[in-house]
Amino acid sequence: MAYLLLLLLSPLLLISAAIYAAQHPGKRPGLVPVLTEAAAFAAFLLAALAAALLVMNGSGTSALIGFFGIGFSVRLDAVSAIMLVLVSFIGWIVLRYSKTYMDGEEHQGAFTSWMAATLAAVLLLVMSGNLFQLFATWVATSLLLNRLLLFYPERATAQRAARKKAVVARLSEGALAAAFILLISATGTSNIETILTTAQANWMTMLAVLLIAVAAVLASAQFPLHGWLTEVMEAPTPVSALLHAGVINAGGFLLIRFADVMLLAPGVMALLVMLGGFTALFGGLIMLTQPAVKTSLAWSTIAQMGFMVMQCGLALFPLALLHIVAHSLYKAHAFLSSGEAVRNVAAIRRPGPIAIPSARNVLQAFIVAILIYGIVGLIVGFDGKSIQAIALGVILIFGVAYLLAQGFADAAPRELMQRTAVYALVTSVSYFVLQVIAQNLTAGALPATPSPGPLEWALIVLALVSFGCVAVAQSTFPLWASHPAAAGLRVHLTNGLYANAIFDKLLDGWSKRSVA
């Protein structure tokens, strides 16, 4: 499949644009923004071509350009094709946005250069056909992102965030390097396709799986080393959009890419469920207390990445990939439109009295939501679905129950109740439809979800109880918000339960160093 090497044109075009932009680093870079946007659009078209090639010719890995397993090769399957289209599309949109956003900014050309180079590194990462290429692009993406985070190097907060990100990144890179050494030792090859089909459950592979999981959770801003992601707001908005909608997904991509190997270590998968689930709940609760839009979006990303890690731990890899796509598109739009959203909210007149659901209304909402989900599942969805997927749907429906509770409030208008009931129905149907689409798209590229054993059953029950309790607490919050303990809890949540402060202490004051 030598034709797959044509896909290397995507990063080559962006690297060429980055080199040209670096030669025009000032605030009047001439044709740099236009040429860079054109290169990003060409990368998107090539990604679409890759998807077409996959449909026509099937998956495969190109020949290696290099020696002794070290060099460049392209792995094209459903996972890489979806990620190539997603990353190139978001990159094109962000670079197009940057052309206007950074117009007249000092060092606009340099900024465009680093953005194009970062996008090229991510594209090379997701199409990697061998471990050496994957590791090199993993490191390159982190280093290039660090340059973007320090676009305003004189700002103390930018320096602090970049230092913390660098520490976490080096830990992630160390774990990934050790994991790849073990995989090469266990399988005798650096070819990813061969590793996925030949890896056996021995001690080297099991340790490699653990290290891959460590690298992934560090890159995904999971608790307790998540603080850097909430402190990168000093960078220009396009950087935040590229980070939260693209680069942060590298950890999830790593878990999905090595899905076949991950299944060889059920204990590691269980750890992913627990850590991811806790991070999702932790980030979601703290997000609700943040006054700033971008900070709230950052905590939302932490929560979403936690949920995605939990999906991988439950062996729901197609749904995790679908989650990455949906979250990336949503978060790119959220960051790029955050300024307009603030203006729109400020222009809205203050609302009148809000209908507060009673405990009875909340109970009704949860019962109705689960009944709707059950009926829809019995009609169109449960047949052939794994227990893990069905349980995940229940967790998602808990969020719908929160909306239903607002509509079921005694003082709520009838139209609101009808609308929320429709939302619950649409959400349930959409979940099953999207699940079928994700499974069909990734059939043959990702392993099927195995039947749960006793450990998996315990984790599923724990997840359902945990997310259910948080959903009930959130739905009934207006009933106990006036309690004195609620005010204190809000203060603690606003500060992230001080986990980031403890991380700062462990780093021996790195994040508190002042500008010289």
Side-chain angles (χ1 to χ4, degrees):
M1 293 188 173
Y3 64 87
L4 293 180
L5 293 174
L6 292 174
L7 297 180
L8 291 174
L9 285 175
S10 297
L12 286 177
L13 287 172
L14 287 163
I15 291 172
S16 300
I19 294 173
Y20 179 75
Q23 297 171 349
H24 303 78
K27 65 178 179 180
R28 298 296 178 191
L31 294 175
V32 165
V34 176
L35 293 177
T36 307
E37 180 190 342
F41 182 66
F44 172 60
L45 293 180
L46 284 169
L49 173 62
L53 289 173
L54 177 65
V55 172
M56 292 185 295
N57 301 313
S59 61
T61 302
S62 72
L64 177 73
I65 303 178
F67 302 95
F68 308 111
I70 303 174
F72 291 97
S73 58
V74 176
R75 168 70 177 155
L76 181 62
D77 61 0
V79 175
S80 59
I82 291 172
M83 291 299 295
L84 281 172
V85 172
L86 174 68
V87 171
S88 59
F89 176 72
I90 290 177
W92 169 48
I93 295 298
V94 171
L95 283 170
R96 181 180 177 86
Y97 178 89
S98 301
K99 184 174 64 176
T100 303
Y101 184 90
M102 300 298 292
D103 187 35
E105 179 78 29
E106 193 71 28
H107 307 304
Q108 179 186 0
F111 174 84
T112 305
S113 174
W114 292 119
M115 286 285 286
T118 303
L119 180 58
V122 177
L123 289 175
L124 282 170
L125 189 154
V126 299
M127 68 172 69
S128 295
N130 65 86
L131 299 183
F132 291 102
Q133 179 182 339
L134 199 159
F135 180 74
T137 52
W138 182 278
V139 175
T141 299
S142 177
L143 295 176
L144 291 167
L145 178 62
N146 196 70
R147 296 288 306 201
L148 290 170
L149 297 180
L150 287 172
F151 182 72
Y152 299 116
E154 71 282 359
R155 299 181 180 180
T157 49
Q159 293 182 12
R160 180 179 65 203
R163 279 194 296 269
K164 294 176 72 172
K165 172 64 174 71
V167 170
V168 175
R170 300 297 84 78
L171 293 173
S172 175
E173 292 157 9
L176 192 61
F180 285 176
I181 291 172
L182 288 168
L183 285 178
I184 293 173
S185 300
T187 61
T189 181
S190 65
N191 185 285
I192 293 176
E193 182 178 8
T194 304
I195 290 172
L196 295 179
T197 55
T198 62
Q200 301 293 322
N202 52 52
W203 72 268
M204 284 194 293
T205 303
M206 304 286 269
L207 182 55
V209 169
L210 176 61
L211 291 170
I212 288 174
V214 170
V217 298
L218 288 172
S220 301
Q222 297 297 281
F223 181 90
L225 303 183
H226 60 277
W228 63 269
L229 189 61
T230 66
E231 297 181 355
V232 297
M233 298 302 115
E234 289 293 338
T237 295
V239 177
S240 297
L242 186 63
L243 168 61
H244 289 262
V247 177
I248 195 67
N249 294 320
F253 169 77
L254 184 67
L255 295 174
I256 295 170
R257 168 52 74 210
F258 290 96
D260 295 271
V261 180
M262 298 299 297
L263 290 178
L264 297 176
V268 176
M269 299 285 281
L271 291 175
L272 290 176
V273 173
M274 290 185 285
L275 179 60
F278 177 80
T279 303
L281 293 172
F282 171 75
L285 286 173
I286 294 175
M287 175 196 70
L288 299 174
T289 66
Q290 301 303 306
V293 172
K294 287 188 176 181
T295 305
S296 179
L297 288 174
W299 281 104
S300 168
T301 297
I302 292 172
Q304 293 291 338
M305 290 300 100
F307 200 77
M308 180 270 301
V309 167
M310 186 182 75
Q311 288 174 314
C312 291
L314 291 171
L316 297 171
F317 296 106
L319 290 181
L321 183 60
L322 174 63
H323 191 155
I324 286 178
V325 173
H327 175 260
S328 296
L329 296 174
Y330 153 68
K331 199 54 64 75
H333 176 268
F335 270 101
L336 297 182
S337 64
S338 58
E340 181 182 358
V342 171
R343 288 191 295 269
N344 291 340
V345 171
I348 298 175
R349 293 184 302 174
R350 295 298 179 186
I354 299 175
I356 298 177
S358 64
R360 176 178 55 83
N361 299 143
V362 172
L363 179 61
Q364 290 175 336
F366 274 80
I367 292 175
V368 170
I370 293 174
L371 283 176
I372 291 176
Y373 175 72
I375 292 171
V376 171
L378 288 173
I379 296 174
V380 299
F382 286 155
D383 186 34
K385 298 296 184 296
S386 66
I387 296 298
Q388 294 93 319
I390 294 173
L392 186 71
V394 174
I395 292 174
L396 293 176
I397 214 67
F398 286 157
V400 176
Y402 170 76
L403 294 177
L404 281 175
Q406 316 309 308
F408 283 9
D410 295 332
R414 185 177 183 84
E415 292 78 9
L416 179 60
M417 182 181 69
Q418 294 173 343
R419 190 179 305 171
T420 53
V422 171
Y423 288 162
L425 179 61
V426 171
T427 301
S428 299
V429 174
S430 299
Y431 173 71
F432 288 108
V433 170
L434 291 173
Q435 185 182 14
V436 171
I437 293 173
Q439 289 177 333
N440 288 337
L441 287 177
T442 58
L446 292 175
T449 303
S451 300
L455 176 60
E456 288 76 18
W457 271 109
L459 292 172
I460 290 171
V461 172
L462 177 62
L464 289 173
V465 172
S466 300
F467 280 88
C469 289
V470 171
V472 170
Q474 183 180 356
S475 300
T476 58
F477 178 73
L479 302 178
W480 53 273
S482 58
H483 193 281
L489 178 61
R490 183 180 182 86
V491 172
H492 298 318
L493 289 175
T494 302
N495 289 281
L497 299 180
Y498 312 102
N500 198 29
I502 296 173
F503 183 34
D504 290 344
K505 289 289 186 180
L506 293 176
L507 288 179
D508 197 24
W510 269 30
S511 64
K512 297 183 180 299
R513 189 181 303 169
S514 60
V515 180

